[in-house]
Amino acid sequence: YTNSYCNIVLETHFDADQSGGTFLTEKTFKAIKHGQPFVIVGPAGSLATLRSLGYRTFDRYIDNSYDLIEDNTLRWQRIVETVKKIHSQDMYQWSIRCWSDVEHNQQLFVSSKQDRLNKLLTKLRTL
């Protein structure tokens, strides 16, 4: 991790068993914990799920439009284009520009999860 400017996260599922859902694992959160910008090779909506949790997904520095593509083949092709575009830049300078989002994500990652857990508990009690 210390010698990398960007993490290409190969999530466990690429299509979440065709359920239309997302499936984030420790692979994504490892990049956040270690302070790296990332591209997620996973189901459509993975970045949207992270954003709903308060994480930043480097939208100013990465073309994340791949996350909206439902078709697996087209999403894969867009991910490859995105990675090539990132790689064509000066990676050190690019990573410096991403730093405010990296720092935000790390702070959110280590912050207390008590509020979210309480909301989940309340929701479960109403089922």
Side-chain angles (χ1 to χ4, degrees), residues 3-108:
N3 294 325
S4 299
Y5 293 113
C6 182
N7 192 314
I8 311 302
V9 178
L10 300 175
E11 266 300 353
T12 302
H13 295 285
F14 189 67
D15 68 355
D17 300 324
Q18 300 175 355
S19 70
T22 59
F23 190 83
L24 298 173
T25 68
E26 81 287 348
K27 295 171 187 82
T28 295
F29 294 100
K30 192 180 285 188
I32 291 170
K33 179 182 181 235
H34 289 283
Q36 293 181 319
F38 51 84
V39 173
I40 296 179
V41 181
S46 296
L47 295 176
T49 298
L50 282 175
R51 286 185 206 104
S52 74
L53 296 172
Y55 290 98
R56 295 182 187 166
T57 57
F58 314 99
D59 296 324
R60 294 176 292 180
Y61 314 107
I62 298 175
D63 176 5
N64 285 324
S65 61
Y66 69 86
D67 192 55
L68 303 172
I69 301 172
E70 296 287 334
D71 180 275
N72 292 329
T73 302
L74 296 177
R75 186 169 65 261
W76 169 254
Q77 291 170 344
R78 183 69 59 83
I79 290 168
V80 170
E81 290 171 16
T82 298
V83 170
K84 284 180 180 179
K85 186 175 180 180
I86 292 168
H87 187 258
S88 71
Q89 301 175 54
D90 177 315
M91 294 299 295
Y92 175 76
Q93 291 301 318
W94 178 82
S95 68
I96 296 298
R97 289 191 302 272
C98 293
W99 185 248
S100 66
D101 288 354
V102 166
E103 192 172 48
H104 167 86
N105 289 345
Q106 284 186 312
Q107 289 173 357
L108 182 60

Side-chain angles (χ1 to χ4, degrees), residues 118 120-127:
N118 285 336
L120 176 62
L121 183 59
T122 299
K123 186 174 183 178
L124 290 172
R125 287 182 177 157
T126 62
L127 294 178

